[in-house]
Amino acid sequence: KKIMNRVKRTARFKPDIKIEKVTAENIQKLFQKYNVPKNFDLLSIDIDYNDYWVWKAITEYSPRVVVIEYNSSIRPTESRVVPYDPEAKWDGTNYFGASLLALRNLGLTKGYTLVGCDNNGVNAFFCKSELVKDTKMRNVDEMYRRPKYGKIVDGVHVGHPPSDKEIPICDF
């Protein structure tokens, strides 16, 4: 079997990029439109505002792993989510998305286990619970990572600038 060098392989690669506005109302229709299999390996959700609501709306598809942005400016002991608004866009402040605890709770209802977070306090990683059933999991407090981005105050990253709006408690 002939092995193609990386330069030639890269030159032949043709990305298939789609541009769509993703909402909780259309995510499953988009998956159907682009022939996403019902079971697939990895789903990454990073839309800077309605991430929680889009993941919640996915009911007919089952990725093995979900990577989703969380709002690390919210303490790991608080379950908070911005109200759903399909027209909302991130305003550059810490008013966006959902807390790690809210996402963990949503994941549990969908059959997923939180397995960790990246070191910058940006992404949370979930696996289908059946894939990690024999693994001892740490609690949310241990997996939470504070923001390591944004403005630095007294030598510590504080994340995005604070908003005047408060993210509501999520008790659903």
Side-chain angles (χ1 to χ4, degrees):
K1 183 174 179 181
K2 185 177 177 184
I3 297 174
M4 186 183 305
N5 75 35
R6 187 169 52 104
V7 174
K8 285 183 182 178
R9 188 174 61 242
T10 302
R12 290 178 59 183
F13 177 71
K14 303 286 186 241
D16 187 15
I17 298 170
K18 311 295 185 206
I19 299 174
E20 300 275 3
K21 179 178 180 177
V22 176
T23 66
E25 292 82 12
N26 76 0
I27 185 62
Q28 295 202 136
K29 290 176 186 159
L30 290 172
F31 280 3
Q32 185 177 23
K33 177 180 176 179
Y34 294 113
N35 298 313
V36 173
K38 296 289 183 180
N39 296 295
F40 58 100
D41 289 327
L42 177 68
L43 173 65
S44 177
I45 304 173
D46 185 345
I47 49 180
D48 298 334
Y49 194 87
N50 287 316
D51 307 62
Y52 175 96
W53 301 107
V54 167
W55 189 23
K56 184 175 182 180
I58 299 170
T59 59
E60 296 176 24
Y61 294 84
S62 185
R64 291 164 49 98
V65 175
V66 175
V67 181
I68 187 167
E69 181 179 44
Y70 73 101
N71 186 335
S72 60
S73 67
I74 304 170
R75 292 189 306 264
T77 55
E78 297 181 16
S79 181
R80 294 183 178 271
V81 179
V82 293
Y84 180 66
D85 178 354
E87 300 304 316
K89 293 183 180 175
W90 181 52
D91 63 5
T93 70
N94 66 357
Y95 189 81
F96 70 95
S99 67
L100 185 60
L101 183 58
L103 289 168
R104 194 281 315 252
N105 292 343
L106 174 61
L108 289 174
T109 69
K110 296 175 75 60
Y112 288 85
T113 299
L114 174 65
V115 295
C117 297
D118 72 356
N119 285 333
N120 292 321
V122 176
N123 292 303
F125 298 83
F126 292 83
C127 286
K128 289 291 284 181
S129 295
E130 68 223 29
L131 299 174
V132 294
K133 65 183 179 200
D134 297 327
T135 306
K136 182 177 181 332
M137 303 312 304
R138 297 174 293 154
N139 65 40
V140 173
D141 291 349
E142 293 174 297
M143 289 187 265
Y144 166 83
R145 298 293 180 260
R146 62 179 181 73
K148 288 190 181 169
Y149 54 83
K151 187 176 178 181
I152 298 174
V153 176
D154 296 326
V156 176
H157 286 278
V158 294
H160 300 300
S163 173
D164 294 339
K165 298 180 268 185
E166 184 174 338
I167 300 173
I169 293 173
C170 174
D171 53 8
F172 37 84

